[in-house]
Amino acid sequence: MTKAPVTSSLSRRRHDREIVALAVPAFGALVAEPLFVMVDSAIVGHLGTPQLAGLGVAAALLMTGVSVFVFLAYATTAAVARRVGAGDLPSAIRQGMDGIWLALLLGAAVVAVTLPTAPWLVDVFGASDTAAPYATTYLRISSLGIPAMLVVLAATGVLRGLQDTRTPLYVAIGGFAANGFLNVVLVYGADLGIAGSAWGTVIAQVGMATAYLVVVVRGAKRHGASLRPDAAGIRASAQAGVPLLIRTLSLRAVLMIATAVAARLGDTHIAAHQVILALWSLTAFALDAIAIAGQAIIGRYLGANDAKGAREACRRMVEWGIMAGVALGILIVLARPLFIPLFTSDPSVRDTLFPALLVVALSQPIAGVVFVLDGVLMGAGDGRYLAWAMLVTLAVFAPVALLIPTFGGGLTALWWAMTLMMAVRLVTLWLRARSGRWIVTGATR
């Protein structure tokens, strides 16, 4: 065996170990997050249908609002990982603190807006007269936990940048357990109803944020990093997050357009669409875990001025994305008889689901590469390109999707349009990755 293949094999194994070590705990933490809402729904559901409907509206508003600020995790991961690669841990933690201070400021602003406008937001979202009071109560109380939720996002980014995805997993598990316990005690033991569920969630979120802050503050003290807010650093964190905010809003617009089109196709199609979205979100967690590993690993290599290592890591993660996508596609096809009956017994919904699910299965390898390259470019701090690429994708997808009802297309046609969306993302991201323009080495981009 020649020397080159041996080196290549060793390199692949090294990258594989890094990817697995970061991606597996990240996947666990990602899956734990939506379980918060599931626990709340299970407990509140026994109070009555209006309460559950109110929770559904309020939770959708909260999750939509918080997801907009996911850039707090992404931008912080990339910035911290670069400084870790450069061997400057004090600066890495200082950068992370800037992200946390930004999260607190944004959280306070969101609370200030949400508290007085909660009834209006609930009404705009279409809550019924019976559900609206419960939705308003839950939204107002839960909004008090938004600063803690945003701190969790930013602090998660800090730890990912420090190549630590295990601590976020442990914190997520602890928060999930605390949320379930507090919900039972406050909803039924203290007889607070839906307000008890909201307070239980707020307390769990504050506990999670506190746990993260303890870890970050200890690291700051150990390495002599300042904990004080720095206006210039906070401003830099915000500027780095703007392109990723545009990217996230564009992606949310794609999902909203898809849901709106499915609703125009009729009740059977929107019901089937919601089932597919649930499955699509689950597969996205698995692929996003690899992307998170990519953010941390690529940022570290670039910070260490190792362009060759960054290229090799990118190549290997793309291979992982393809393999994961193929595996998920096969799993969707094989698990179809088990998966569909869990959500619906309506024959018409099942018949509508079947061909659309096959399209989703076929698109998984494309999605695997898209998620990975998205993570690679985020890790490289290439947010401006990601923003433009997602805007181009939205511009292509929107007219195609909106014309589907006009031309008599059904849910399968809509999911072919979603596959087109992923294909456009693949082309834009692949071209950028091949160009090498994302490879900017050094402690800062």
Side-chain angles (χ1 to χ4, degrees):
M1 185 179 289
T2 62
K3 185 176 181 180
V6 172
T7 302
S8 178
S9 177
L10 290 173
S11 176
R12 283 199 301 272
R13 285 200 294 270
R14 184 180 74 251
H15 292 311
D16 288 347
R17 286 195 297 269
E18 288 184 329
I19 293 168
V20 170
L22 291 171
V24 172
F27 175 70
L30 288 169
V31 170
E33 291 172 8
L35 292 178
F36 270 70
V37 177
M38 290 180 64
V39 168
D40 288 4
S41 299
I43 293 172
V44 171
H46 292 286
L47 295 175
T49 299
Q51 289 91 332
L52 183 58
L55 171 65
V57 171
L61 282 165
L62 284 166
M63 291 302 100
T64 299
V66 172
S67 67
V68 168
F69 298 105
V70 73
F71 69 84
L72 289 167
Y74 294 158
T76 304
T77 297
V80 171
R82 276 185 175 270
R83 287 161 175 80
V84 169
D88 189 355
L89 284 177
S91 178
I93 296 173
R94 173 67 262 177
Q95 180 72 36
M97 285 304 306
D98 291 335
I100 290 173
W101 281 112
L102 176 62
L104 285 170
L105 292 173
L106 291 174
V110 173
V111 172
V113 171
T114 304
L115 285 177
T117 62
W120 176 79
L121 290 170
V122 167
D123 183 59
V124 168
F125 221 74
S128 67
D129 291 339
T130 54
Y134 297 109
T136 301
T137 296
Y138 191 91
L139 181 60
R140 277 183 166 156
I141 295 172
S142 293
S143 68
L144 299 176
I146 288 177
M149 294 171 73
L150 299 189
V151 166
V152 167
L153 283 177
T156 299
V158 176
L159 295 180
R160 288 173 181 170
L162 294 170
Q163 317 297 297
D164 176 9
T165 56
R166 289 183 178 274
T167 299
L169 172 60
Y170 300 147
V171 173
I173 292 173
F176 170 70
N179 179 61
F181 173 76
L182 289 168
N183 266 258
V184 171
V185 170
L186 296 177
V187 172
Y188 298 116
D191 199 25
L192 294 178
I194 195 169
S197 177
W199 280 117
T201 301
V202 169
I203 294 169
Q205 290 162 347
V206 171
M208 291 172 66
T210 301
Y212 274 118
L213 289 175
V214 168
V215 174
V216 174
V217 168
R218 282 179 179 172
K221 290 181 177 179
R222 188 182 311 121
H223 296 287
S226 173
L227 297 172
R228 294 179 180 178
D230 176 66
I234 295 172
R235 193 161 50 247
S237 294
Q239 289 171 347
V242 169
L244 295 179
L245 174 62
I246 294 171
R247 168 204 166 273
T248 300
L249 290 174
S250 300
L251 183 56
R252 296 294 302 183
V254 165
L255 297 176
M256 288 175 65
I257 290 170
T259 299
V261 170
R264 289 175 61 189
L265 295 174
D267 290 348
T268 298
H269 289 81
I270 186 62
H273 179 70
Q274 289 304 113
V275 174
I276 293 176
L277 270 183
L279 176 64
W280 198 67
S281 298
L282 184 61
T283 61
F285 286 137
L287 299 175
D288 204 26
I290 303 174
I292 287 169
Q295 293 172 31
I297 293 169
I298 293 297
R300 193 189 73 232
Y301 274 118
L302 294 177
N305 294 310
D306 188 355
K308 181 175 180 290
R311 286 193 189 93
E312 289 179 351
C314 174
R315 189 179 304 112
R316 187 55 180 160
M317 278 183 285
V318 167
E319 293 170 357
W320 269 76
I322 294 171
M323 290 187 292
V326 170
L328 287 171
I330 294 172
L331 185 62
I332 288 172
V333 173
L334 295 179
R336 188 182 69 255
L338 299 174
F339 177 81
I340 294 177
L342 292 176
F343 286 88
T344 180
S345 57
D346 187 330
S348 61
V349 175
R350 291 187 179 189
D351 290 342
T352 304
L353 268 171
F354 178 73
L357 273 177
L358 292 180
V359 175
V360 174
L362 288 171
S363 69
Q364 287 305 297
I366 297 174
V369 179
V370 166
F371 273 76
V372 165
L373 291 179
D374 208 38
V376 166
L377 297 184
M378 281 185 190
D382 203 8
R384 186 167 298 180
Y385 182 85
L386 288 171
W388 281 110
M390 199 62 226
L391 286 171
V392 169
T393 302
L394 175 60
V396 173
F397 170 78
V400 173
L402 292 172
L403 285 172
I404 287 173
T406 303
F407 287 94
L411 188 67
T412 302
L414 176 59
W415 277 93
W416 275 119
M418 289 289 284
T419 302
L420 171 65
M421 179 271 294
M422 295 301 289
V424 174
R425 292 187 71 192
L426 175 63
V427 171
T428 57
L429 297 177
W430 184 262
L431 289 174
R432 186 64 166 183
R434 292 243 349 196
S435 73
R437 293 179 182 175
W438 56 277
I439 300 176
V440 179
T441 58
T444 58
R445 183 177 172 85

